[in-house]
C-alpha cells in the first residue's frame, strides 16, 4: 500500500471573511492511498486555529506506516486534519475494493439530499444586505459575525432576505455580556441558532446566563472526548470531519452526542466536494447542515457534489465512497 499527499488550491468565487481574517482561495491536502491497483482518496483543510499548517499536516501523513489501517490510524494520529484525510481515503479504498458504497459498509440507508446553509461572508452591513438579497431564495443562511458592529449586520441581512431562516456564527468573537445583549435581538430577527459565541476554554459563563435560543459548540467540540466538557453550556454540537479526524470518529461523535441529549449540526471548512462527500453520511437526520464549501468555490473537483432545491446530494461513486 502506498500513501501520497499533495496540495491543491481552489479559487473562491469571492473573498471570504470571518472575524479572524479573509481568504481568496482554499488550500487543501489531497491524500491518495493505493492498494492492489485500487486507489481511495480524501481531503482535509489544515486550520491555523488548531496550529495546523499544510506542511505540518503533510508531514504527519508522510510519517504513517504504509500498512496503516483505519483501526490502527488512532494509534498514530490524534483528531485533526491529517487523520481526517487518511481515514476518509481508507473508507473510499475499502468501498472500491469491496464494490460497495460506504453507507452499505456502515449498514445505513443511502443518504438523502439535505438542505444546507449558505454562508454569507463578514462584510459591511450594506454589502451583507446585497449578498443576502442575492441569496434570499435559499431557505437557510448562515451569517459570520463576531465584531462590535454585529447588530447593524443582522438587521441588514434580515432586510435583504426576509423569508430565509438565519443562523449565526460568532467564531468565538463575543463576550458573555455581548451575547446577552444581542440575544433578544437575535430572537426578534428570527435567528434560530447561534454558533460558538464565546472563545473555547472561556465559555463557562454559558452555563450561568440565559440561552434563549440554541447555542452550538464548534471550536469547543472536536471529538467524543470533548463532549463531557460541554455539559450545561451548549444545546448543540457542530461535527466537522477536520476536527473529529475523519468519518469514523464523526459517526461516533454523532451517536454519543445524541445519547447525551445534544442536537447535531454537521459543518465544514472551506473545501471541495471531496471534503464534503463523507459528511453527507453524518448529515442524515442532523438538525442543521452546513456543507456549503463547494458553493463558495469558483472551481471544484471533476465530479462535484450536486446542489439543487433539495439541498446537497450524496456523492457519486466517481467522486468518493
Amino acid at each position: 500500500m502506498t500513501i501520497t499527499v499533495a496540495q491543491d488550491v481552489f479559487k473562491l468565487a469571492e473573498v471570504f471573511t470571518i472575524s479572524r481574517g479573509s481568504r481568496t482561495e482554499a488550500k487543501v491536502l489531497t491524500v491518495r492511498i493505493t492498494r492492489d491497483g485500487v486507489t481511495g482518496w480524501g481531503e482535509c483543510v489544515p486550520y491555523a486555529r488548531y496550529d495546523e499548517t499544510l506542511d505540518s499536516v503533510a508531514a504527519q501523513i508522510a510519517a504513517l506506516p504504509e500498512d496503516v489501517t483505519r483501526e490502527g490510524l488512532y494509534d498514530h494520529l490524534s483528531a485533526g486534519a491529517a487523520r481526517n484525510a487518511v481515514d476518509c481515503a481508507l473508507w473510499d479504498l475499502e468501498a472500491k475494493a469491496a464494490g460497495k458504497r460506504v453507507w452499505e459498509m456502515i449498514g445505513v440507508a443511502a443518504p438523502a439530499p439535505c438542505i444546507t446553509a449558505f454562508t454569507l461572508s463578514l462584510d459591511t452591513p450594506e454589502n451583507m444586505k446585497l449578498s443576502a438579497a442575492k441569496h434570499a431564495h435559499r431557505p437557510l443562511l448562515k451569517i459570520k459575525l463576531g465584531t462590535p458592529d454585529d447588530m447593524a449586520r443582522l438587521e441588514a441581512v434580515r432586510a435583504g432576505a426576509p423569508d430565509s431562516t438565519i443562523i449565526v456564527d460568532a467564531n468565538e468573537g463575543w463576550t458573555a455580556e455581548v451575547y446577552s445583549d444581542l440575544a433578544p435581538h437575535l430572537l426578534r430577527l428570527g435567528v434560530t441558532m447561534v454558533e460558538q459565541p464565546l472563545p473555547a476554554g472561556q465559555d463557562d459563563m454559558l452555563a450561568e446566563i440565559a440561552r434563549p435560543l440554541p447555542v452550538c459548540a464548534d471550536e469547543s467540540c472536536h471529538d467524543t472526548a470533548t463532549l463531557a466538557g460541554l455539559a450545561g453550556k451548549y444545546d448543540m454540537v457542530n461535527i466537522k470531519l477536520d476536527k473529529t479526524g475523519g468519518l469514523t470518529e464523526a459517526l461516533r461523535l454523532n451517536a454519543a452526542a445524541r445519547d447525551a441529549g445534544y442536537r447535531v449540526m454537521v459543518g465544514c471548512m472551506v473545501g471541495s466536494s471531496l471534503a464534503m462527500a463523507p459528511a453527507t453520511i453524518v448529515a442524515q437526520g442532523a438538525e442543521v447542515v452546513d456543507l456549503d464549501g463547494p458553493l463558495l468555490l469558483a472551481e471544484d473537483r471533476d465530479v462535484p457534489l450536486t446542489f439543487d432545491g433539495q439541498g446537497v446530494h450524496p456523492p457519486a461513486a466517481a467522486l468518493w465512497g
Side-chain angles (χ1 to χ4, degrees), residues 2 26 69 129 231 240 278:
T2 59
T69 62
K129 181 179 179 179
K240 293 179 180 176

Side-chain angles (χ1 to χ4, degrees), residues 131-183:
S131 182
K134 178 181 177 181
H135 295 284
H137 64 284
R138 300 185 186 275
L140 179 60
L141 296 178
K142 177 175 175 177
I143 314 174
K144 289 289 190 179
L145 298 176
T147 77
D149 305 314
D150 285 339
M151 195 63 244
R153 291 185 170 93
L154 278 167
E155 299 275 9
V157 170
R158 177 47 82 201
D163 297 323
S164 299
T165 297
I166 293 176
I167 58 177
V168 302
D169 183 4
N171 280 118
E172 306 179 275
W174 293 339
T175 64
E177 292 74 18
V178 168
Y179 171 64
S180 295
D181 288 343
L182 284 176

Side-chain angles (χ1 to χ4, degrees), residues 218-265:
D218 182 2
E219 286 86 353
S220 291
C221 180
H222 290 246
D223 55 11
T224 53
T226 59
L227 267 183
L230 308 181
K233 297 186 289 187
Y234 293 94
D235 310 289
M236 300 182 69
V237 297
N238 187 350
I239 300 175
K240 293 179 180 176
L241 272 65
D242 274 314
K243 292 189 303 174
T244 65
L247 175 61
T248 303
E249 178 64 14
L251 293 170
R252 292 173 182 160
L253 176 57
N254 187 27
R258 295 286 188 189
D259 288 345
Y262 294 100
R263 284 175 277 178
V264 168
M265 174 182 183

Side-chain angles (χ1 to χ4, degrees), residues 28-301:
V28 309
L29 292 176
T30 304
V31 170
R32 292 176 174 83
I33 303 178
T34 301
R35 182 176 61 206
D36 299 329
V38 179
T39 298
W41 66 341
E43 176 185 315
C44 68
V45 182
Y47 198 34
R49 169 65 178 80
Y50 305 130
D51 298 319
E52 295 175 335
T53 66
L54 292 163
D55 289 342
S56 70
V57 172
Q60 286 180 287
I61 297 169
L64 289 171
E66 291 193 343
D67 60 349
V68 69
T69 62
R70 272 197 305 110
E71 296 75 16
L73 191 55
Y74 285 70
D75 296 329
H76 299 279
L77 293 173
S78 58
R83 195 175 76 189
N84 175 34
V86 177
D87 179 78
C88 291
L90 287 169
W91 272 111
D92 188 39
L93 175 65
E94 292 169 23
K96 288 176 177 174
K100 297 181 178 181
R101 300 308 306 268
V102 165
W103 47 86
E104 294 179 279
M105 299 175 63
I106 296 170
V108 298
C114 297
I115 294 296
T116 179
F118 181 84
T119 304
L120 301 182
S121 180
L122 186 68
D123 207 328
T124 64
E126 295 77 13
N127 286 341
M128 291 186 76
K129 181 179 179 179
L130 291 173
S131 182
K134 178 181 177 181
H135 295 284
H137 64 284
R138 300 185 186 275
L140 179 60
L141 296 178
K142 177 175 175 177
I143 314 174
K144 289 289 190 179
L145 298 176
T147 77
D149 305 314
D150 285 339
M151 195 63 244
R153 291 185 170 93
L154 278 167
E155 299 275 9
V157 170
R158 177 47 82 201
D163 297 323
S164 299
T165 297
I166 293 176
I167 58 177
V168 302
D169 183 4
N171 280 118
E172 306 179 275
W174 293 339
T175 64
E177 292 74 18
V178 168
Y179 171 64
S180 295
D181 288 343
L182 284 176
H185 299 287
L186 298 177
L187 289 171
R188 174 176 59 83
L189 293 169
V191 174
T192 59
M193 183 270 283
V194 58
E195 189 179 346
Q196 198 68 43
L198 308 186
Q202 302 175 38
D203 54 2
D204 287 345
M205 278 300 296
L206 288 173
E208 308 297 330
I209 62 178
R211 298 199 303 273
L213 71 166
V215 178
C216 181
D218 182 2
E219 286 86 353
S220 291
C221 180
H222 290 246
D223 55 11
T224 53
T226 59
L227 267 183
L230 308 181
K233 297 186 289 187
Y234 293 94
D235 310 289
M236 300 182 69
V237 297
N238 187 350
I239 300 175
K240 293 179 180 176
L241 272 65
D242 274 314
K243 292 189 303 174
T244 65
L247 175 61
T248 303
E249 178 64 14
L251 293 170
R252 292 173 182 160
L253 176 57
N254 187 27
R258 295 286 188 189
D259 288 345
Y262 294 100
R263 284 175 277 178
V264 168
M265 174 182 183
V266 175
C268 66
M269 306 301 187
V270 181
S272 80
S273 284
L274 178 58
M276 308 301 125
T280 63
I281 299 174
V282 190
Q284 301 304 298
E287 282 77 7
V288 178
V289 176
D290 179 23
L291 297 178
D292 64 342
L295 296 176
L296 305 177
L297 304 180
E299 52 194 13
D300 199 355
R301 301 286 180 177

